[in-house]
Amino acid sequence: MNLESPQRLQPKDYASDQEVRWCPGCGDYAILKAVQKTLADGGADPANTVFVSGIGCAARFPYYLETYGFHTIHGRAPAFATGIKLANPALDVWVVGGDGDMLSIGGNQLMHALRRNVDLNILLFNNEIYGLTKGQYSPTSRLGTRSPSTPQGSVDRPVSALAFGLGSGARFVARSFDTAQKHLPEVLKRARTFKGAALVEILQNCIVYNDNAFAHITERDVALERQLFVEHGKPLLFAGGRKGLRVKPGALKLEVVEVGEGGPAAAGVLNHDETDADLAHLLVKLEPPAFPVAFGVIYCDPVESYEAAVHRQTAEVRAKGRAADLAQLMRSGPTWTVG
Amino acid sequence: MNLESPQRLQPKDYASDQEVRWCPGCGDYAILKAVQKTLADGGADPANTVFVSGIGCAARFPYYLETYGFHTIHGRAPAFATGIKLANPALDVWVVGGDGDMLSIGGNQLMHALRRNVDLNILLFNNEIYGLTKGQYSPTSRLGTRSPSTPQGSVDRPVSALAFGLGSGARFVARSFDTAQKHLPEVLKRARTFKGAALVEILQNCIVYNDNAFAHITERDVALERQLFVEHGKPLLFAGGRKGLRVKPGALKLEVVEVGEGGPAAAGVLNHDETDADLAHLLVKLEPPAFPVAFGVIYCDPVESYEAAVHRQTAEVRAKGRAADLAQLMRSGPTWTVG
Amino acid sequence: NETATAPGPVPVLRRELESAVVRFAGDSGDGMQLTGGQFTLETALAGNDLATFPDFPAEIRAPAGTTFGVSAFQINFGQRRIKTAGDAVDVLVAMNPAALKVDLKDVKPGGLLILDTGAFTDKNLAKAGFATNPLTDGSLDGYRRLDVDMSALTLEAVKHTGLGRKDALRCKNMWALGLVAWLFDRDRKPTQSYLERKFAKEPAILAANLAALNAGHAYGETAELGGEHLAFSVPPARIEPGLYRNITGTEALAWGLVFGGQLAGLPLWFCGYPITPASALLHTLANLKQFEVGTFQAEDEIAAISAAIGASYAGSLGVTSSSGPGIALKTEAIGLAIAAELPLVIVNSQRGGPSTGLPTKTEQSDLYQAVFGRNADAPLPVIASRSPGDCFDCAVEAVRIAVTYMTPVILLTDGYLANAAEPWKLPELSRYQAFPVRFHEAREGFHPFLRNAETLARVWAKPGTPGLTHRIGGLERDDKTGNISYDAENHHRMTKTRAAKVLGVADSLPPQGVEDGAGTGRLAVVGWGSTFGPISRAVSNLRAQGHDVSHIHLRHIWPLPKNLKALLAGFERVLVPEMNNGQLVTLLRAETLIDCRSLTKIAGRPFKIVEIEEAALALLENRR
Amino acid sequence: NETATAPGPVPVLRRELESAVVRFAGDSGDGMQLTGGQFTLETALAGNDLATFPDFPAEIRAPAGTTFGVSAFQINFGQRRIKTAGDAVDVLVAMNPAALKVDLKDVKPGGLLILDTGAFTDKNLAKAGFATNPLTDGSLDGYRRLDVDMSALTLEAVKHTGLGRKDALRCKNMWALGLVAWLFDRDRKPTQSYLERKFAKEPAILAANLAALNAGHAYGETAELGGEHLAFSVPPARIEPGLYRNITGTEALAWGLVFGGQLAGLPLWFCGYPITPASALLHTLANLKQFEVGTFQAEDEIAAISAAIGASYAGSLGVTSSSGPGIALKTEAIGLAIAAELPLVIVNSQRGGPSTGLPTKTEQSDLYQAVFGRNADAPLPVIASRSPGDCFDCAVEAVRIAVTYMTPVILLTDGYLANAAEPWKLPELSRYQAFPVRFHEAREGFHPFLRNAETLARVWAKPGTPGLTHRIGGLERDDKTGNISYDAENHHRMTKTRAAKVLGVADSLPPQGVEDGAGTGRLAVVGWGSTFGPISRAVSNLRAQGHDVSHIHLRHIWPLPKNLKALLAGFERVLVPEMNNGQLVTLLRAETLIDCRSLTKIAGRPFKIVEIEEAALALLENRR
Ligand SMILES: Cc1ncc(C[n+]2csc(CCOP(=O)(O)OP(=O)(O)O)c2C)c(N)n1
Ligand SMILES: Cc1ncc(C[n+]2csc(CCOP(=O)(O)OP(=O)(O)O)c2C)c(N)n1
Ligand code: SF4
Ligand code: SF4
Ligand SMILES: [Mg+2]
Ligand SMILES: [Mg+2]
């Protein structure tokens, strides 16, 4: 179906006519739904929306959306997207890939897209495994992961997607998970409206090769204790408001505190400041059991985006008025006439 | 010259017979000297020492040392070194490269060597420029850098080598500079003895394409105010002890404080704890004019190195005693006899 | 509660066949690969020669019932030599409508369809894209049919185990296997023991699978399967005596590499990055740590080959592996291995392209890439294996060349070889000649580019050797000192030397022989790689019909065997069938100036025998 | 204080030469490239035809006085057509012993050496590796010599400007230029105006440079340079009338790409990663932002080509550029551009290899890589430019093919072409035929793989177009719908279509012509790329001697011109000289089955004319 106009569309209007080919029960379905909702909520014009992906289960994403889509090669989607955005800054460009695509083979492309702050919405589906190639461990797999390539368990420590993002100079990092059907579209909306490279880590369940990898965080019975939803300006509370995070006195660290009668402020609970890179550093690496996992927009501190700066600079050059006359350019410098 | 035995050698004994071909005045000469001193001080056996490099001016390094050396391809030295170390963990393996080699094309290889914690001494010569290819801006060049490829000035923000290192999961990061002929060998010694991936950023002057890039830090007249030498357990002092860093009250930040009569402790000056990753995050990004630049071993928190874990695991498998008998393996599972 | 498991002939009328082709097809979740594998084993133990072709869907686990989720396994077996998995199917077992939809086109007219009617629900018919029900709309009239509600019968058979419906239904494949085993008079013992091993810790599941297997078999025995549903017998083939096992190309390759390392006296470091269909080699080797084998899953293909080269530099044998797109990424580093003259084995499991192409389908289209695909004058030896079992010897050969000539070697296999299994006569390992590596240790006059006068291989001095410290790299080196050299004449000499060294590999090869047919004649069919089976069968068919045709099959793609030009010159016509758009043919034409003709098939599947026969006849009759 | 700057003939006896070869050689810091460039300009303005060859050291700024730090610039100029920078040197200007050491071997017997004796200190002699002083040991006896202490004379000449010794000495090159200008009766005006522009803001340095230039010239006029040091005159050549300028291959390429974009009506996005000798193109284009040109310095070659493809996908013309090792890294992405059928221009400035090889030396050894160097059946058009000026037309042609056929195109240049300059007649831009791109906009029956029946190009529908949302990628696509397809027959068809599309480019080409000589005959010398000059001169020399030889030069490497086979068949023998180990020759043999013979030179430098003459004579005389 090709859509007529950007008038109010429903989530389902963003679905392409292609059959979705993920395994039944894969977390990718839920993410697809959340993205369709985000597009509909944002009134996205399909004609001006482009999904770019690398290779992997996650990277099949563009086929299922009735927008422009480019399924490229393994690990390089951020670079393709950079070219697209440079060529046409008016497009709303999304990048989708798995933990292998973005952090194994594609770490360099991701780093540089973040560092340059190209205006892209980058969705990293982290299932801590290579799905498409049938279950090898990935750079986000936990120590000791048994997989076809590590039958005795992996011996290398995982990288944290968001710590890597911050280390690379990202100006926007956020986290959500596949089944968070209210939270995820909210986060995606923030990413979409952020003018710059927005890195969103989405914890995603691979039901076939790494089932329940995040059950200890997302299961209903532990959710309250293990999930911290951050919001700019609001106190860092979890466990239904019973607990919060505060600065460990005299140290550069966070600690969990019980919120008593006096409320969060009295307990010294910190307010979330999404523009604070130092706080973001601490938040992205919180982990159970000692801490909850932080979800939401953890860091957001806009600066001029790359393609905007490039086009601004070009406009400045053109404004200075060197004529775009090739014949004249050829005649500049020494010439001579024969005959 | 091929060296006989690992008996006490002098720095000059580690010099190969090849003419050094850097530009006169290049900071690389000083680093070469410091490395030779480090090897001599550590009594390094040339036969068991390997220098691996990518491509660039910095990457010419191995040619000038009378050790084993492998000048590989652009950006991939950490991966070659990983293979070398896996194959022979007894070797002392060094990796040398420039900011382009390690952070532009080679960002992914660097990230993964750090994340895996392969026992390598990684020296990143940061001159904030591509020297060998004649002066294009690099991923560490400052915003606005004019270069042949950015005649109007660069518009993308640089990445910080050490922030990237920490974000990648490095367990050892340190910083020094080319002309610091006392400090640099000390830092290199620590890197050499660290069992794991040690990332050392060395600020290096490219006299031809980016002269004085670090003058605002290294020049004698500003040195005291702009250089903070950190030492584990010692207070974070600079400006000849007149100033120090302390935790900004109630915040997760550092601030400069004047050290008064009462000494550092009274002024609340923090002691350096090189095992504190959070402190390291704050230290690596300190910058003039508000702060001095941190030098020394900023972070060091050892865990089992990758190749050690791999070989341990292999030993475990072998200890379990599956026979290394190929003929027998072939006969395992269903077989049948014909004729 | 079952007595039919007792061995011995079943008193039933069986039609004897020379060979038969059976395909099991169903949902990815239906366990067709396992079913096929077990039937293969039973068939091998029954003494038949055989060949198989597994055909996976590209999706991991596509939604049930869809055509793109169909997984199939084909086996051709017989009392004669079997060369391919078979052009057309005699018996198709279709576990659902989608399988029928996808696979019917390959069934011979009059072939037997075994259909699980229980799966032919309206929903499944719609998912498979049937407008009307093929069971009733007459569209299957040209076939023999055995319609049986396997789903229901399986549920019935396993009821006593107390399994839930979902788990119970998962035994359907064993029911089908039991039936087909009865049809061809196969012994179910190997499958029973397999199940006992596999489900040792899950007694209920074990019981259910066994019950389904036996029920399917009993159904054959007791149901009214006379008349057109006659059962078959396929007596044992006459094959070379020896101890046999089934082997996939991946296993043979892994073992060959391990053995190659042993013959060279070197530890093996395998460094790879997963990619279909190459990953299986990484998985296999990762389980062989009891040997002098290490595996390293790198962050990408570039790191993988770099680490492998690093391992070789340090004195191990570096091996890396990938498929086309991944090999492309390794290109730059291969150039370094050529320049630094380090041994390295690069395995390419070819798949359909260009780009991501058809990742799960086979193709042999990376010959250009292997022979020519590098910047600069950068020759290296290329060999290709022809069958799953041949991967063993090719791996050994690749290692031999790599360490003898200090060079990277590309070994071409493909998706078909990687996954397909064939009966393999176990080699006598002690018969292989060792080629132990001697690391250089003499200090006298040492430099790293000293060469063996005969092989032109440079010396291999590994780090850790006292007194031999030296530097190598990708910059051109002086041939007299090993130091960097920008000298013009030296570069010319070094380029010629590198080329001569690789060409010199041909000196160590036996002359190219003829697989079948005379050494001269009217037509030579020249193949390489996994086209071996169909070419071999096509040529023997044509020869049986009295045609003057010979089959020549190359293992060595570069350098070519020294006698090849003369050999081909002895034929009036030369046909080169390839599963690509004509690549070896280009090389042969350039090297021999003989008007070799190309036959191409770029369909992600092996040639059919008739396709080669037809092309050969056309040339014989001068129709092209 | 100098009057000799006045133009007009100097009253001196000058020997008229048909052509002359001058080489300026000195330390990297001596400014030899600038000196050579200025002399080139003076010579062009004097009406000579000319060709140049800059030869940089691999080191940025090697320690002064070392042989590996020598930087040289050679110019061949004459009153006849000049095709190469010259086999042997008539006049060598050596600014120090290292330059003499490196370059003497190329000087003709009896040639003139102009030596700065001031630089022949013991220290410099030792650095250059001279055991004895060549000025006095008789080793230069076979040459004419002009020994002059340029260092001292320069210091003397610029004394009045008050410059320090170091800065003053940096004017030595201008002194040398002044002298050589006098020697060949060149007008110094262009250099004077150049200096005035360059040092407009540094009056002392300007004055010093002018003074040195004039002093060198005056030295020629006044010193005792009669007798054997006779001055020369080289009268203007007869060249095609028109407006001329000097141009390097890099400039021509940059302008050609900009112009190609204009003819296509597309903005250009150039995405590259620096590498010698390709970086200069990035630098040049980065300064052309006033045109519809953007440049992006990516983090590596993979990102560079990926971004370029992304730009093409978005409706711009993506261009990327590198040298061999970098092109290797782009291989995988090139496959995607082929599969997705997007336009893209890939420029390869070839350099010596394999691996890092000889980065600053020229070679044409990436033809295999360009034509064959990808996984799978992945053909693309390949063209090569023959001379600096020809880069302009080749760039336009590459853009035309890319957008007309929706395909990546590889344009081969090399280190020599990138850096060398030649006089270039400015093209009449209005004479070029435009090939404006029409983006697809019709919704009716749209899918992204609809094809133009004639060119087989698919439609180009760019993001932002309402109603044409669609998905493309590297997986095989159905030729009827553009959706992913794993269908066997479809893949075969698509592979054939992709190949046919690329072969179809040949339909748009004029028949291959003959540069020089008859269309049939005894010997054809077939070249490509920058061997044009030496082959052209060698063939015309041989023809002048009465030999039946023709010169054929290919711009289109793939597909080959349709008449090429017939054309070559008209010659008894075919010789293919290449600056590689024989690559085009392989392609020609495979495609034509003609016994083309290879002449190789892999020395990082262009062929000498005599080398080609000798090989041609050997074939003519049936000696090989
Ligand atoms: C160059 C290249 N190397 C390797 C592959 C094989 N490959 C495809 S996807 C993938 C990783 C998939 O993992 P991830 O990115 O985490 O995605 P998921 O499937 O888990 O969603 C790999 C290794 C490839 N397609 N191309
Ligand atoms: C694959 C490849 N791409 C590009 C190059 C060209 N190249 C060589 S070194 C270099 C960057 C040098 O910068 P850096 O790493 O900072 O080292 P420096 O010269 O500054 O010490 C580049 C782009 C190359 N040799 N190989
Ligand atoms: S393999 Fe895992 S990630 Fe891939 S589609 Fe299946 S469940 Fe999802
Ligand atoms: S270019 Fe710069 S980094 Fe390279 S050798 Fe010269 S001064 Fe050093
Ligand atoms: Mg994943
Ligand atoms: Mg640098």
Side-chain angles (χ1 to χ4, degrees), chain A residues 60 74 104 136-137 149 152, chain C residues 59 273 283 289 297 299:
Chain A
R60 292 293 177 93
H74 197 26
S104 192
Q136 299 85 3
Y137 87 122
S149 55
Q152 287 86 28
Chain C
E59 271 56 63
Y273 181 70
H283 305 169
K289 292 206 179 72
Q297 178 180 311
E299 61 270 28

Side-chain angles (χ1 to χ4, degrees), chain A residues 21-29 56-58 127 129-132 134-135 204-210, chain C residues 60-61:
Chain A
R21 297 189 178 190
W22 290 307
C23 305
C26 176
D28 291 349
Y29 286 94
C57 295
N127 55 15
I129 210 78
Y130 293 168
L132 191 70
K134 312 207 164 179
Q204 174 245 332
N205 192 43
C206 169
I207 195 168
V208 174
Y209 295 112
N210 205 15
Chain C
I60 300 297
R61 200 166 288 176

Side-chain angles (χ1 to χ4, degrees), chain B residues 58 98-101 125-132 138 140 204:
Chain B
D99 42 315
D101 197 51
F125 297 7
N126 186 4
N127 56 14
E128 299 188 354
I129 211 78
Y130 293 168
L132 191 69
S138 98
T140 57
Q204 173 246 330

Side-chain angles (χ1 to χ4, degrees), chain D residues 574-578 580-583 585 596-600 624:
Chain D
V574 177
L575 177 67
V576 186
E578 299 178 78
N580 61 41
N581 202 23
Q583 300 195 358
V585 71
C596 305
R597 295 304 175 86
S598 176
L599 172 66
T600 66
R624 52 173 269 188

Side-chain angles (χ1 to χ4, degrees), chain B residues 55-58 74 98-101 105 127 129-133 204, chain C residues 332, chain D residues 273-275 301 325-326 329 351:
Chain B
I55 303 287
C57 295
H74 197 27
D99 42 315
D101 197 51
I105 191 168
N127 56 14
I129 211 78
Y130 293 168
L132 191 69
T133 49
Q204 173 246 330
Chain C
E332 189 203 2
Chain D
Y273 181 69
I275 188 169
E301 285 85 353
L329 286 169
R351 68 185 212 185

Side-chain angles (χ1 to χ4, degrees), chain D residues 14 45 83 96 114 150 210 272 307 341 343 364 372 441 485:
Chain D
R14 294 189 174 272
L45 293 178
K83 310 287 185 109
N96 70 4
I114 301 179
M150 295 188 211
L210 289 174
E341 301 189 37
Q364 46 178 190
F372 297 117
E441 293 189 340
S485 163

